[in-house]
Amino acid sequence: MSMLFIDIRGSTALSEKLTPTEFSQVINRFYAAATKVIIEQDGLVEKLAGDEVAAFWGAGFAGPDYVQRTIDVAKSLLRVMELQKIPVGIGVHSGVAYFGAMGTAEGLTDISAKGEEVNMTARLASKAGVGEIIVSEQALKAAGVDGSQLEARSLELKGISEPVVARVMHGS
């Protein structure tokens, strides 16, 4: 499975400059634009939370090139958000994760992805600056992409014991 997290950079500062209605309009534009791009490329939108969208691709529903499609979607998302004037950062990773229904004995359920690889994706996204895609070397390898010409960063990620080397891509 490959995973993508995209979130708005500086949303707290942005919310201070806008009225609550204006800020909710920005968030709604962000959600609408991001989910459209993701769904058009056979991604599964896992959640919309705060100023973030999480999405997943798997070979079973997105085809054998699902990791490359995730990277391509990340680039498309940067272009779309730039046109919308919404500053975002994106994290992309691939690996094995639990994906399915979770809930309570009373019947409350949520369809979600969980696990170390999902956490890694969220942490990579948190390190992406405006207009950046932080892609794990694992995802680049799975996509068959030579990342040697991309900027390498050694990242200290919350909850991850060792620094992670990842590559930086830009949308253009």
Side-chain angles (χ1 to χ4, degrees):
M1 152 176 299
S2 60
M3 299 148 263
L4 177 151
F5 280 58
I6 177 173
D7 52 36
I8 297 174
R9 294 290 171 253
S11 63
T12 301
L14 182 62
S15 72
E16 291 174 348
K17 296 177 188 173
L18 302 174
T19 68
T21 299
E22 291 169 333
F23 185 66
S24 72
Q25 290 170 342
V26 170
I27 296 295
N28 286 333
R29 273 195 354 260
F30 166 68
Y31 284 162
T35 58
K36 181 179 189 300
V37 171
I38 291 164
I39 291 167
E40 285 175 350
Q41 290 300 316
D42 298 321
L44 178 63
V45 175
E46 192 255 346
K47 71 179 165 193
L48 310 174
D51 64 354
E52 178 179 78
V53 175
F56 301 88
W57 286 257
F61 58 88
D65 63 342
Y66 67 96
V67 181
Q68 180 62 55
R69 291 180 82 182
T70 308
I71 293 169
D72 292 343
V73 166
K75 291 176 182 178
S76 293
L77 285 168
L78 285 185
R79 287 189 296 274
V80 167
M81 294 305 160
E82 186 176 293
L83 291 172
Q84 294 276 335
K85 299 193 183 335
I86 300 173
V88 298
I90 301 173
V92 174
H93 182 55
S94 65
V96 177
Y98 171 81
F99 189 82
M102 287 170 254
T104 66
E106 292 78 30
L108 180 63
T109 60
D110 181 31
I111 305 298
S112 187
K114 301 288 183 208
E116 178 183 345
E117 307 294 0
V118 178
N119 293 337
M120 172 77 76
T121 311
R123 302 297 187 250
L124 291 172
S126 74
K127 295 293 185 177
V130 173
E132 292 182 339
I133 305 164
I134 304 291
V135 185
S136 70
E137 291 194 326
Q138 188 170 316
L140 290 171
K141 184 177 178 182
V145 174
D146 176 11
S148 63
Q149 300 301 312
L150 300 171
E151 174 191 345
R153 288 189 189 158
S154 180
L155 304 170
E156 299 281 337
L157 303 176
K158 180 181 172 186
I160 311 287
S161 60
E162 297 291 321
V164 172
V165 176
R167 301 291 175 153
V168 181
M169 300 177 116
H170 300 273
S172 300

